[in-house]
Coordinates of all heavy atoms in Angstrom, one line a residue:
L1 N 122.3 81.3 101.2 CA 121.2 82.0 100.6 C 121.4 83.5 100.8 O 121.2 84.3 99.9 CB 119.9 81.6 101.3 CG 118.7 82.2 100.7 CD1 118.5 82.0 99.2 CD2 117.4 81.8 101.5
N2 N 121.9 83.9 102.0 CA 122.1 85.3 102.3 C 123.2 85.9 101.3 O 123.1 87.0 100.8 CB 122.5 85.6 103.7 CG 121.3 85.2 104.6 OD1 120.2 85.3 104.2 ND2 121.6 84.9 105.9
D3 N 124.3 85.1 101.2 CA 125.4 85.6 100.3 C 124.9 85.8 98.9 O 125.2 86.8 98.2 CB 126.5 84.6 100.3 CG 127.2 84.5 101.7 OD1 127.0 85.5 102.4 OD2 127.9 83.5 101.9
K4 N 124.1 84.8 98.4 CA 123.6 84.9 97.0 C 122.7 86.0 96.8 O 122.6 86.7 95.8 CB 122.9 83.6 96.6 CG 123.9 82.4 96.6 CD 125.0 82.6 95.6 CE 125.9 81.3 95.5 NZ 127.0 81.5 94.6
I5 N 121.8 86.3 97.9 CA 120.9 87.4 97.8 C 121.6 88.7 97.8 O 121.3 89.6 96.9 CB 120.0 87.4 99.0 CG1 119.0 86.2 98.9 CG2 119.1 88.6 99.1 CD1 118.1 86.0 100.1
L6 N 122.7 88.9 98.6 CA 123.4 90.1 98.6 C 124.1 90.3 97.3 O 124.1 91.4 96.7 CB 124.5 90.1 99.7 CG 123.9 90.2 101.2 CD1 125.0 90.0 102.2 CD2 123.1 91.4 101.4
N7 N 124.8 89.3 96.8 CA 125.5 89.4 95.5 C 124.5 89.8 94.4 O 124.8 90.6 93.5 CB 126.2 88.2 95.2 CG 127.4 87.9 96.1 OD1 127.9 88.8 96.8 ND2 127.8 86.6 96.2
S8 N 123.4 89.1 94.4 CA 122.4 89.4 93.4 C 121.8 90.7 93.5 O 121.6 91.4 92.5 CB 121.3 88.3 93.4 OG 120.3 88.6 92.4
A9 N 121.6 91.2 94.7 CA 121.0 92.6 94.9 C 122.0 93.6 94.4 O 121.6 94.6 93.7 CB 120.7 92.8 96.3
D10 N 123.3 93.5 94.7 CA 124.3 94.4 94.2 C 124.4 94.4 92.7 O 124.5 95.5 92.0 CB 125.7 94.0 94.7 CG 125.7 94.2 96.3 OD1 124.8 95.0 96.8 OD2 126.6 93.6 96.9
E11 N 124.3 93.2 92.1 CA 124.4 93.1 90.6 C 123.2 93.8 90.0 O 123.3 94.5 89.0 CB 124.5 91.7 90.2 CG 125.8 91.0 90.6 CD 125.8 89.5 90.2 OE1 124.8 89.1 89.6 OE2 126.8 88.8 90.4
I12 N 122.0 93.5 90.6 CA 120.8 94.1 90.0 C 120.8 95.6 90.2 O 120.5 96.4 89.3 CB 119.6 93.6 90.7 CG1 119.4 92.0 90.4 CG2 118.3 94.3 90.3 CD1 118.3 91.4 91.2
R13 N 121.4 96.1 91.3 CA 121.4 97.6 91.6 C 122.4 98.2 90.6 O 122.2 99.2 90.0 CB 121.9 97.8 93.0 CG 122.0 99.3 93.3 CD 120.6 100.0 93.2 NE 120.7 101.4 93.5 CZ 119.7 102.3 93.2 NH1 118.6 101.9 92.6 NH2 119.9 103.6 93.6
T14 N 123.5 97.5 90.3 CA 124.5 98.0 89.4 C 123.9 98.1 88.0 O 124.1 99.1 87.3 CB 125.8 97.1 89.3 OG1 126.3 97.0 90.6 CG2 126.8 97.6 88.4
K15 N 123.1 97.1 87.6 CA 122.5 97.1 86.3 C 121.5 98.2 86.2 O 121.3 98.9 85.1 CB 121.8 95.8 86.0 CG 122.9 94.7 85.7 CD 122.1 93.3 85.4 CE 123.2 92.2 85.2 NZ 122.5 91.0 84.8
E16 N 120.8 98.5 87.3 CA 119.8 99.6 87.3 C 120.5 101.0 87.1 O 120.0 101.8 86.3 CB 119.0 99.6 88.5 CG 118.0 98.4 88.6 CD 117.3 98.4 90.0 OE1 117.6 99.2 90.8 OE2 116.3 97.6 90.1
I17 N 121.6 101.2 87.8 CA 122.3 102.5 87.7 C 122.8 102.7 86.3 O 122.7 103.7 85.7 CB 123.5 102.5 88.7 CG1 122.9 102.5 90.2 CG2 124.3 103.8 88.5 CD1 123.9 102.4 91.2
A18 N 123.4 101.6 85.8 CA 123.9 101.7 84.4 C 122.9 102.0 83.4 O 123.0 102.7 82.5 CB 124.7 100.4 84.0
A19 N 121.7 101.4 83.6 CA 120.6 101.6 82.7 C 120.1 103.0 82.8 O 119.8 103.7 81.8 CB 119.5 100.6 83.0
S20 N 120.1 103.6 84.0 CA 119.6 105.0 84.2 C 120.6 106.0 83.6 O 120.2 107.0 83.0 CB 119.4 105.2 85.7 OG 120.6 105.1 86.4
V21 N 121.9 105.7 83.7 CA 122.9 106.6 83.1 C 122.8 106.7 81.6 O 122.9 107.7 81.0 CB 124.3 106.2 83.6 CG1 125.4 107.0 82.8 CG2 124.5 106.4 85.1
H22 N 122.6 105.6 81.0 CA 122.6 105.5 79.6 C 121.2 105.7 79.1 O 120.9 105.6 77.9 CB 123.1 104.1 79.1 CG 124.6 103.9 79.3 ND1 125.0 103.4 80.5 CD2 125.7 104.2 78.6 CE1 126.3 103.3 80.5 NE2 126.8 103.8 79.3
G23 N 120.2 106.0 80.0 CA 118.9 106.2 79.5 C 118.1 105.0 79.0 O 117.3 105.1 78.2
L24 N 118.5 103.9 79.6 CA 117.9 102.6 79.1 C 116.9 102.1 80.2 O 117.0 102.5 81.4 CB 118.9 101.5 78.9 CG 120.0 101.9 77.9 CD1 121.0 100.7 77.8 CD2 119.3 102.0 76.5
Q25 N 116.0 101.3 79.7 CA 114.9 100.7 80.6 C 115.4 99.4 81.2 O 116.0 98.6 80.5 CB 113.6 100.5 79.9 CG 112.5 100.1 80.8 CD 111.2 99.9 80.0 OE1 111.2 100.2 78.8 NE2 110.2 99.6 80.7
V26 N 115.2 99.3 82.5 CA 115.7 98.0 83.2 C 114.8 96.9 82.7 O 113.5 97.0 82.6 CB 115.6 98.2 84.7 CG1 116.1 96.9 85.4 CG2 116.5 99.4 85.1
D27 N 115.4 95.7 82.5 CA 114.7 94.5 82.1 C 113.7 94.1 83.2 O 114.1 94.0 84.4 CB 115.7 93.4 81.9 CG 115.0 92.2 81.3 OD1 113.7 92.2 81.1 OD2 115.7 91.2 80.9
P28 N 112.4 94.0 82.9 CA 111.4 93.7 83.9 C 111.6 92.3 84.5 O 111.3 92.0 85.6 CB 110.1 93.7 83.2 CG 110.4 93.5 81.7 CD 111.8 94.2 81.5
V29 N 112.3 91.5 83.8 CA 112.6 90.2 84.3 C 113.6 90.3 85.4 O 113.5 89.6 86.5 CB 113.2 89.2 83.2 CG1 113.6 87.9 83.8 CG2 112.1 89.0 82.1
I30 N 114.6 91.2 85.3 CA 115.6 91.4 86.3 C 115.0 92.0 87.5 O 115.3 91.6 88.7 CB 116.8 92.2 85.8 CG1 117.5 91.5 84.6 CG2 117.8 92.6 86.8 CD1 118.5 92.3 83.9
K31 N 114.0 92.9 87.3 CA 113.4 93.5 88.5 C 112.5 92.6 89.3 O 112.3 92.8 90.4 CB 112.6 94.7 88.0 CG 113.4 95.8 87.4 CD 112.6 97.0 86.9 CE 111.9 97.7 88.0 NZ 111.1 98.8 87.6
R32 N 112.0 91.6 88.6 CA 111.1 90.6 89.3 C 111.9 89.7 90.3 O 111.3 89.2 91.2 CB 110.4 89.8 88.3 CG 109.3 89.0 88.9 CD 108.3 88.4 87.8 NE 109.0 87.4 86.9 CZ 109.2 87.6 85.7 NH1 108.8 88.8 85.1 NH2 109.8 86.7 84.9
F33 N 113.2 89.5 90.1 CA 114.0 88.7 91.0 C 114.9 89.5 91.8 O 115.6 90.4 91.3 CB 114.7 87.6 90.2 CG 113.9 86.8 89.3 CD1 113.7 87.0 88.0 CD2 113.2 85.7 89.9 CE1 112.9 86.2 87.2 CE2 112.4 84.9 89.1 CZ 112.2 85.1 87.8
D34 N 115.0 89.2 93.1 CA 115.9 90.0 94.0 C 117.0 89.2 94.6 O 117.6 89.6 95.6 CB 115.1 90.7 95.0 CG 114.3 89.7 95.9 OD1 114.4 88.5 95.5 OD2 113.7 90.1 96.8
G35 N 117.2 88.0 94.1 CA 118.3 87.1 94.6 C 118.8 86.1 93.6 O 118.2 85.9 92.6
K36 N 120.0 85.6 93.9 CA 120.6 84.6 93.0 C 121.1 83.5 93.9 O 121.7 83.7 95.0 CB 121.7 85.3 92.3 CG 122.5 84.3 91.3 CD 123.6 85.1 90.6 CE 124.3 84.1 89.7 NZ 125.5 84.8 89.0
A37 N 120.9 82.2 93.4 CA 121.4 81.0 94.2 C 121.8 79.9 93.3 O 121.6 80.0 92.1 CB 120.3 80.5 95.1
Q38 N 122.5 78.9 93.9 CA 123.0 77.8 93.1 C 122.4 76.5 93.7 O 122.3 76.3 94.9 CB 124.5 77.7 93.3 CG 125.1 76.6 92.5 CD 126.7 76.5 92.6 OE1 127.2 77.1 93.5 NE2 127.3 75.7 91.8
D39 N 121.9 75.7 92.7 CA 121.3 74.4 93.1 C 122.3 73.5 93.5 O 123.3 73.2 92.8 CB 120.5 73.8 91.8 CG 119.7 72.6 92.2 OD1 119.9 72.0 93.3 OD2 118.7 72.3 91.5
P40 N 122.3 72.9 94.8 CA 123.3 72.0 95.3 C 123.3 70.7 94.6 O 124.3 70.0 94.7 CB 123.0 71.9 96.8 CG 121.5 72.1 96.9 CD 121.2 73.2 95.8
V41 N 122.3 70.3 93.9 CA 122.2 69.0 93.3 C 122.8 69.1 91.9 O 123.7 68.3 91.5 CB 120.8 68.5 93.2 CG1 120.8 67.1 92.5 CG2 120.3 68.3 94.6
T42 N 122.3 70.0 91.1 CA 122.8 70.1 89.7 C 124.0 71.1 89.5 O 124.7 71.1 88.5 CB 121.6 70.6 88.8 OG1 121.2 71.9 89.2 CG2 120.5 69.6 88.9
G43 N 124.1 72.0 90.5 CA 125.2 73.0 90.4 C 124.9 74.2 89.5 O 125.7 75.1 89.3
R44 N 123.6 74.3 89.0 CA 123.2 75.4 88.1 C 122.8 76.6 89.0 O 122.3 76.4 90.1 CB 122.1 74.9 87.2 CG 122.4 73.9 86.2 CD 121.2 73.5 85.4 NE 120.7 74.7 84.6 CZ 119.6 74.7 83.9 NH1 118.9 73.5 83.8 NH2 119.2 75.8 83.3
H45 N 123.0 77.8 88.4 CA 122.6 79.0 89.1 C 121.2 79.4 88.7 O 120.8 79.2 87.5 CB 123.5 80.2 88.8 CG 124.9 79.9 89.5 ND1 125.9 79.1 88.9 CD2 125.4 80.4 90.6 CE1 126.9 79.1 89.7 NE2 126.7 79.9 90.7

């Protein structure tokens, strides 16, 4: 869980910086989630 949270946080931060450089608005859906994980049963992220 910690690994997925860190990876997801970096990805979200990268997307926010890119959006600010290009003058774009960050997707509110992306801002609402601060972590990424994989379901051990189905394998889906």
Side-chain angles (χ1 to χ4, degrees):
L1 181 60
N2 292 334
D3 293 342
K4 296 299 180 180
I5 292 176
L6 293 175
N7 295 337
S8 178
D10 293 341
E11 293 177 1
I12 294 174
R13 181 60 180 170
T14 303
K15 291 181 179 182
E16 290 179 349
I17 294 173
S20 61
V21 171
H22 294 85
L24 301 176
Q25 186 178 359
V26 180
D27 188 354
V29 175
I30 297 176
K31 295 179 65 177
R32 190 166 63 246
F33 302 100
D34 57 357
K36 180 181 179 183
Q38 183 180 12
D39 190 338
V41 177
T42 63
R44 294 179 60 185
H45 292 82

